Amino acid sequence: AKMSADVSRKIHLASQRLERLTGLVKRQGVFNDPTEEINQLAARIKTDTKFLKNDLDDLQLYLEHNKRQVGAGSTSAEGHSQSMVESMQYQLVNTASTFKQVLETRQSNVKAQRDRRGLFGRHNRNNALGRPYSNPYR
């Protein structure tokens, strides 16, 4: 019970981090892009999901080992434990899927920002008519 409570708490924390990341990624702004915070959260969530998968695998093995040790024990308790592990596995898969979608959104936002900067930034050497800009004072 303590193991599953710990894993459940960790999944909840990872979900909270993902919500924060989602909020940051959805912000549209060229000048106030929190790149460092986004990168830190993304790295933390990636690590969290990796370790949580291992924790859930360990919990599943523990349940199977316990079932073999006890033999024909309480099927109600076993069923409850198994459904709790499956529920947490589903939550983790859902979190990982949402994380992937958020990263894809972030990637497209960064590309759009780069494209906008290219259109309006100093690196664009074409004038409004699409012709190369030539400086008449050179």
Side-chain angles (χ1 to χ4, degrees):
K2 185 180 181 324
M3 281 177 64
S4 62
D6 189 43
V7 172
S8 180
R9 183 185 57 78
K10 289 176 183 177
I11 290 172
H12 178 72
L13 289 172
S15 295
Q16 286 180 323
R17 287 186 188 103
L18 182 57
E19 286 178 25
R20 173 79 177 133
L21 178 65
T22 301
L24 291 173
V25 166
K26 286 184 177 180
R27 269 199 229 165
Q28 295 291 330
V30 176
F31 301 108
N32 62 351
D33 184 46
T35 302
E36 186 174 329
E37 186 176 2
I38 287 172
N39 290 342
Q40 288 173 350
L41 275 171
R44 179 65 192 257
I45 293 167
K46 184 177 180 180
T47 301
D48 287 350
T49 55
K50 178 182 154 191
F51 284 118
L52 282 167
K53 182 181 180 332
N54 290 339
D55 288 348
L56 283 170
D57 289 345
D58 290 346
L59 190 56
Q60 183 69 43
L61 289 172
Y62 171 79
L63 288 176
E64 290 170 5
H65 175 75
N66 198 31
K67 185 178 179 179
R68 284 191 300 267
Q69 289 280 359
V70 174
S74 171
T75 57
S76 176
E78 289 173 9
H80 174 72
S81 297
Q82 186 61 40
S83 67
M84 290 300 297
V85 170
E86 288 172 1
S87 174
M88 288 187 283
Q89 287 172 332
Y90 173 78
Q91 290 172 351
L92 183 59
V93 167
N94 189 32
T95 299
S97 175
T98 302
F99 180 54
K100 181 180 175 187
Q101 292 170 353
V102 169
L103 291 179
E104 289 170 353
T105 300
R106 173 67 178 163
Q107 187 176 15
S108 65
N109 287 352
V110 167
K111 184 182 180 318
Q113 283 180 357
R114 197 176 319 120
D115 291 347
R116 281 193 300 272
R117 285 183 186 138
L119 287 174
F120 301 110
R122 63 184 172 172
H123 299 292
N124 186 7
R125 302 299 293 178
N126 293 335
N127 66 13
L129 299 175
R131 294 187 210 129
Y133 178 77
S134 62
N135 187 347
Y137 301 107
R138 275 200 207 183

